[in-house]
């Protein structure tokens, strides 16, 4: 479940699911713990009346989520988003619940009670919002780790001009590629050992076979380099040289 809603179908479905979940949490808290003086309510229809808070909370969350989706189109700064969106949820939910309280119990509007309901809403929302934030953070971390792991172990198949001329390597093991006429020499580093593989193909055609977001970039008419394997740079703009990990040779730019 993503923490922030966007203007797409998946977010709208997530909004309904989230509103239903949090309204059920509200009903659960009111039924089981009966906070804020509700345990003293002797009305025979008390639980039916308490269920009404869950319904208005559901409606309030749908409205708040609609505002969040609308705000997503403005590309707010992250810190602004973190502050504004929870305030919208808490204030709208508090207004809805206080309005229901006025109709079902009190009979008249009091601003002091409205401020009290903001505190009540904040108190009830702290647990589910904190839980959702932790789940979202864990999901983002897991996705990032998975993406990093995939890149480190990503295989790529290079095909030469001959039918059976092909070479399968792990992307992260490729240091650089050096071309000479219609041949390419691939310099690889695996378990601290450097190896050289030869493939009959031009450098241009070889680079076309790389996947998107590849760390391999052409840096010279005859060279392409894995930017993640660069150890240091030497020289100046007129004769820049790249030093690679675990090899003595340098790559010109």
């Amino acid at each position: 479940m993503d923490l922030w809603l966007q203007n797409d179908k998946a977010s709208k479905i997530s909004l309904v699911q989230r509103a239903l979940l949090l309204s059920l949490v509200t009903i659960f808290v009111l039924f089981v713990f009966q906070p804020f003086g509700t345990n003293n309510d002797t009305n025979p229809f008390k639980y039916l009346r308490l269920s009404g808070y869950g319904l208005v909370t559901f409606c309030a969350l749908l409205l708040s989520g609609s505002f969040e989706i609308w705000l997503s189109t403005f590309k707010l700064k992250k810190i602004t988003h973190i502050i504004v969106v929870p305030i919208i949820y808490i204030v709208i939910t508090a207004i809805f619940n206080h309005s229901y309280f006025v109709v079902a119990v009190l009979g008249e509007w009091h601003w002091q009670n409205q401020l009290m309901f903001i505190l009540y809403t904040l108190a009830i929302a702290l647990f589910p919002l904190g839980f959702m934030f932790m789940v979202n953070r864990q999901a983002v971390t897991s996705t990032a780790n998975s993406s990093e792991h995939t890149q480190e172990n990503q295989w790529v198949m290079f095909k030469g001009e001959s039918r059976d001329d092909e070479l399968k390597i792990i992307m992260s093991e490729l240091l650089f590629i050096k071309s000479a006429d219609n041949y390419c020499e691939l310099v690889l580093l695996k378990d601290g050992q450097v190896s050289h593989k030869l493939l009959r193909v031009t450098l241009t055609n070889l680079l076309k076979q790389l996947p998107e977001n590849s760390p391999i970039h052409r840096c010279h008419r005859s060279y392409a380099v894995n930017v993640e394997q660069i150890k240091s740079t030497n020289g100046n703009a007129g004769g820049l040289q790249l030093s690679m990990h675990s090899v003595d040779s340098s790559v010109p730019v």
Side-chain angles (χ1 to χ4, degrees):
M1 184 183 293
D2 191 14
L3 185 62
W4 304 115
L5 299 176
Q6 303 295 325
N7 191 15
D8 54 40
K9 183 178 179 180
S11 289
K12 293 172 183 177
I13 294 174
S14 179
L15 169 59
V16 176
Q17 294 173 339
R18 185 179 302 179
L20 180 60
L21 173 63
L22 295 182
S23 62
L24 290 175
V25 169
T26 300
I27 294 175
F28 174 79
V29 171
L30 293 176
F31 275 27
V32 175
F33 301 103
Q34 298 192 23
F36 317 126
T38 55
N39 59 320
N40 297 323
D41 189 355
T42 58
N43 189 294
F45 301 105
K46 179 174 76 170
Y47 289 101
L48 180 61
R49 188 156 63 184
L50 291 177
S51 299
Y53 289 105
L55 178 61
V56 297
T57 297
F58 178 78
C59 297
L61 292 174
L62 288 182
L63 179 60
S64 303
S66 300
F67 274 110
E68 181 185 355
I69 291 174
W70 175 67
L71 285 175
S72 69
T73 61
F74 290 94
K75 306 298 180 183
L76 299 177
K77 292 182 179 179
K78 184 177 180 180
I79 185 62
T80 304
H81 204 100
I82 292 174
I83 295 173
V84 171
V85 171
I87 289 177
I88 290 175
Y89 274 88
I90 291 171
V91 170
I92 291 180
T93 304
I95 291 175
F96 270 57
N97 278 277
H98 181 234
S99 300
Y100 175 75
F101 176 69
V102 169
V103 172
V105 180
L106 200 60
E108 57 181 323
W109 188 282
H110 291 290
W111 283 108
Q112 298 91 326
N113 289 330
Q114 179 61 73
L115 296 176
M116 179 182 67
F117 266 84
I118 290 178
L119 296 177
Y120 286 171
T121 304
L122 177 61
I124 294 178
L126 279 178
F127 173 74
L129 287 177
F131 176 76
M132 288 168 56
F133 179 79
M134 288 188 294
V135 169
N136 182 78
R137 184 175 182 181
Q138 180 63 32
V140 171
T141 302
S142 299
T143 302
N145 291 338
S146 175
S147 176
E148 181 179 353
H149 180 76
T150 301
Q151 290 179 1
E152 289 180 353
N153 298 279
Q154 184 177 12
W155 289 86
V156 60
M157 176 69 77
F158 290 124
K159 294 184 178 181
E161 295 179 358
S162 302
R163 179 179 299 178
D164 299 326
D165 194 10
E166 57 185 28
L167 178 65
K168 186 178 181 180
I169 67 168
I170 296 178
M171 184 81 70
S172 60
E173 295 179 355
L174 179 59
L175 294 177
F176 64 90
I177 306 170
K178 178 182 179 181
S179 71
D181 297 325
N182 292 327
Y183 285 89
C184 280
E185 177 186 358
L186 289 82
V187 181
L188 308 171
L189 176 66
K190 183 177 182 180
D191 299 328
Q193 300 294 321
V194 177
S195 61
H196 302 258
K197 304 293 183 180
L198 201 62
L199 200 63
R200 182 178 173 82
V201 63
T202 63
L203 181 58
T204 299
N205 289 335
L206 188 69
L207 295 179
K208 289 180 180 179
Q209 301 177 40
L210 289 169
E212 293 184 4
N213 302 320
S214 166
I216 314 300
H217 296 278
R218 193 166 192 164
C219 60
H220 185 273
R221 182 170 59 89
S222 302
Y223 286 86
V225 65
N226 185 343
V227 295
E228 295 178 352
Q229 295 287 359
I230 297 175
K231 180 174 63 175
S232 62
T233 60
N234 300 288
N236 51 41
L240 186 62
Q241 299 285 322
L242 305 176
S243 297
M244 311 302 296
H245 289 290
S246 303
V247 292
D248 295 330
S249 58
S250 59
V251 177
V253 178

